Amino acid sequence: MSPAPRTARATARAELTRAILDSAATQLADIGPAALSVRAVARDLEMASSAVYRYFPSRDALLTALIVEAYDDLGAAVEAVERAVRRGDLRGRWRAIAHGIRDWARAHPHQYALTHGSPVPGYAAPADTVVPATRVTLALLTVLRDAQAAGRTPAAGPARVSAAEKAALGPVLAFVDPPLSPAFAVRGLTAWATLFGHVSLELFGHMHRGVLDYDTHFATVVDQLGADLGLG
Amino acid sequence: MSPAPRTARATARAELTRAILDSAATQLADIGPAALSVRAVARDLEMASSAVYRYFPSRDALLTALIVEAYDDLGAAVEAVERAVRRGDLRGRWRAIAHGIRDWARAHPHQYALTHGSPVPGYAAPADTVVPATRVTLALLTVLRDAQAAGRTPAAGPARVSAAEKAALGPVLAFVDPPLSPAFAVRGLTAWATLFGHVSLELFGHMHRGVLDYDTHFATVVDQLGADLGLG
DNA sequence: ACAATGACAAGAGCAGTGCTCTTGTTTGTT
DNA sequence: AACAAACAAGAGCACTGCTCTTGTCATTGT
């Protein structure tokens, strides 16, 4: 993370690192994470496979870099569509985030599988990935915070949240400032799970193809969740 | 699927097939699906790797068999806990199903990843898997049907379901008899997505470890969904 | 009872993988 | 100019899924 001197060698290294990532990203989008091969990347760049290991110490490290990029790409996409909505239009912002997630996932199924599918076996997501992974969660929580600040309250649901659950929520409440009320947080986390559950079930082929019109149904669910959250 | 003659050869084949599946299942639970190796299975059974291919034409076929077994295992586990609840206790049945899914997933994380995680790359789930995959969905829909028959109605949510959404729901309504009302189906599908979304986010490490007490929070969410469904 | 047929196990082998080690070259620093 | 670090390339190891060939056994038809 140091500024890296602008020597010929340093710029060459930076360029090659990017080239490796780009080639890997292309392969990832084409054939999926498990079939990603450092030898194939090396072939694509017309270099020796052993040379790639000078830039990424292992295949997993390369995969990790791709995961970080995917999270960032998703985060940027969601933030972009959400930013385009008038601040006061809480329902619109919620809709933008929800559909933004699904649209991105459908456009980048392999990346979505990498970030939100089963973790690559024998591979534990390193710390580098958690910060970029937070971006869309933060966008969602921010909308909830604004809703709370605007005096909205979750429409339905158990009136009061048990003390145990309040404790269970813990630091989640303080992810935004001012902190979320437990009731809002519970509904918010539920909506979050519903969103990703829906996208996962759709993308991973669990909603029997042809039996359901995803576009329509997802829109219905999103609006329902929005209503549950008291956004409109 | 033919009754298979009871010759010495046939029984030997059946036994070896089972032995292969058992060894593969053990490996799967240990090291995950991607690391599952037919050569390792062959080593475990002290046979030539090429001999395994006489029983399963490819590694994917072996994986498919394991997926079917996993779905059946999950289905059986959920049905077992649900059956233990008094029929009239709709909320209890719902809770049993929900917690049954999560408990099974936590006890068999690799199997869960196989069934509900990202599909193994370059691998499309064949038709054999869809029937066993339906078991838990059917259990959930049956509870909803019974709730509907008992006069319950979804607590919250948009009063009426749009015509487009009714059409989108399509055959899902008729999965049980008598068919589900659209309002119930929407809520039910949403709850279904929330359930699996929650379990996936928890198991795949997206809910920041330590920040949330899963046991308590999941119970809260389940009860909230139950209330949304009008089950108590 | 015998011979033909099919199922089977085993081994060698191919093409591919991640990764390491060694060798020789280029670049940047003192 | 001298030295050290960074680099590319190649060979090689151990592994993978899978195929093909060879030889053996059980089952079946005559």
Side-chain angles (χ1 to χ4, degrees), chain A residues 49-166:
Chain A
S49 65
S50 55
V52 178
Y53 284 86
R54 199 165 288 280
Y55 296 82
F56 295 92
S58 72
R59 202 194 88 120
D60 276 0
L62 180 54
L63 224 37
T64 300
L66 290 176
I67 292 178
V68 170
E69 291 210 328
Y71 273 124
D72 261 330
D73 199 43
L74 168 62
V78 168
E79 286 170 10
V81 292
E82 196 264 348
R83 212 180 354 246
V85 180
R86 184 174 51 83
R87 294 295 82 188
D89 182 6
L90 297 165
R91 189 187 180 197
R93 288 167 67 189
W94 155 251
R95 272 182 174 161
I97 291 174
H99 288 276
I101 291 172
R102 175 167 177 263
D103 290 345
W104 183 89
R106 283 156 49 96
H108 309 87
H110 282 127
Q111 276 84 338
Y112 180 82
L114 206 54
T115 52
H116 293 84
S118 28
V120 178
Y123 167 82
D128 322 14
T129 65
V130 357
V131 173
T134 320
R135 281 176 74 167
V136 335
T137 313
L138 188 67
L140 171 56
L141 290 177
T142 302
V143 171
L144 295 187
R145 182 206 57 183
D146 291 353
Q148 185 176 273
R152 313 285 187 98
T153 51
R160 34 186 199 75
V161 176
S162 75
E165 171 68 4
K166 272 185 201 164

Side-chain angles (χ1 to χ4, degrees), chain A residues 8-9 36-39 43 50 53 58-59:
Chain A
R9 177 159 274 170
L36 187 145
S37 146
V38 347
R39 287 181 118 110
R43 268 195 300 273
S50 55
Y53 284 86
S58 72
R59 202 194 88 120

Side-chain angles (χ1 to χ4, degrees), chain B residues 8-9 36-39 43 50 53 59:
Chain B
R9 178 160 274 170
L36 187 146
S37 145
V38 347
R39 287 181 120 112
R43 268 195 300 274
S50 55
Y53 284 86
R59 201 194 88 119

